[in-house]
């Protein structure tokens, strides 16, 4: 410990991955990221991290609605603030290897900036 | 939009607040952050942000277990990675005003670095 404990970051999670596990009714026009409520994407992240010995440094966290529903399933990685959309189970190992281990986010899965946290975009109709 | 959309950050959440809403059985020794399952802390953050016109820039997000259970209710604010413990409803306005609006985290509520993401600390007995 340094004299000023709050100035250190050594014991924080190196990456904190939030995986949306929100459900909505099947007829909701916005859709949702985890319609079956199984958190299978979050579980896969946990498994892939554990397999690489990263369980204590990187957390795969369930998250409530991240509000990018039209682009889901959504994942955001902090502290770097990298957002992914349309993430499937078969993408998880690539995200872990390329981004978490290698430091190179997976470009093909990133949410476009013009789609992120906007009132509307090509995929999100304006809300009434 | 700039030519390289991924280099911009203007449309991201300025702060993304994750509030643990996890439940465990009452006899679990680790406790949990939201024993009643009402997400009342997250709701209060939403209300305080909305009252300040910050709804579109700052998101108060439900989170699954953040794994700092012994210090809960827990909250983490990204991208800055500031962790708070033992957060009560009456603390929320102060966090929003001081940290989110004013840029000054609330020192008295911060999780100590020696308690954060450790196998054990003064509050967390070693796990068997």
């Amino acid at each position: 410990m340094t004299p000023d404990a709050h100035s250190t970051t050594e014991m924080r999670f190196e990456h904190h991955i939030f995986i949306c596990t929100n459900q909505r009714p099947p007829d909701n026009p916005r859709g949702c990221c985890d319609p079956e409520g199984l958190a299978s994407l979050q579980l896969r992240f946990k498994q892939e991290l554990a397999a690489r010995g990263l369980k204590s440094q990187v957390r795969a966290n369930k998250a409530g609605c991240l509000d990018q529903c039209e682009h889901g399933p959504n994942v955001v990685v902090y502290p770097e603030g990298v957002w992914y959309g349309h993430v499937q189970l078969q993408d998880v190992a690539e995200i872990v290897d390329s981004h978490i281990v290698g430091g190179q986010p997976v470009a093909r899965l990133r949410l476009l900036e013009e789609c992120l946290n906007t009132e509307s975009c090509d995929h999100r109709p304006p809300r009434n």
Side-chain angles (χ1 to χ4, degrees), chain A:
Chain A
M1 293 297 299
T2 62
D4 177 3
H6 287 146
S7 69
T8 68
T9 58
E10 62 193 41
M11 286 185 281
R12 296 168 188 276
F13 295 122
E14 294 172 14
H15 302 274
H16 202 160
I17 306 170
F18 291 91
I19 301 104
C20 184
T21 57
N22 195 43
Q23 289 96 52
R24 285 208 183 90
D27 59 350
N28 188 295
R30 296 199 70 195
C32 69
C33 289
D34 188 19
E36 296 180 341
L38 298 174
S40 52
L41 200 56
Q42 184 246 359
L43 180 60
R44 181 65 65 90
F45 269 100
K46 283 175 73 95
Q47 292 168 335
E48 298 286 357
L49 291 168
R52 290 158 181 79
L54 295 171
K55 192 177 164 188
S56 62
Q57 300 106 293
V58 183
R59 184 161 182 81
N61 217 108
K62 290 182 187 176
C65 178
L66 295 167
D67 202 26
Q68 319 298 325
C69 316
E70 292 80 358
H71 311 92
N74 295 301
V75 171
V76 59
V77 186
Y78 283 109
E80 57 267 55
V82 168
W83 288 80
Y84 294 113
H86 306 294
V87 180
Q88 303 300 311
L89 288 175
Q90 59 268 29
D91 299 321
V92 174
E94 182 180 358
I95 292 173
V96 172
D97 283 330
S98 177
H99 180 164
I100 303 301
V101 177
Q104 186 64 46
V106 180
R108 70 180 177 82
L109 294 171
R110 291 184 75 166
L111 270 182
L112 296 176
E113 288 286 336
E114 63 262 34
C115 295
L116 183 56
N117 194 24
T118 55
E119 281 296 307
S120 64
C121 69
D122 288 349
H123 318 96
R124 173 184 291 194
R127 296 184 218 181
N128 296 322

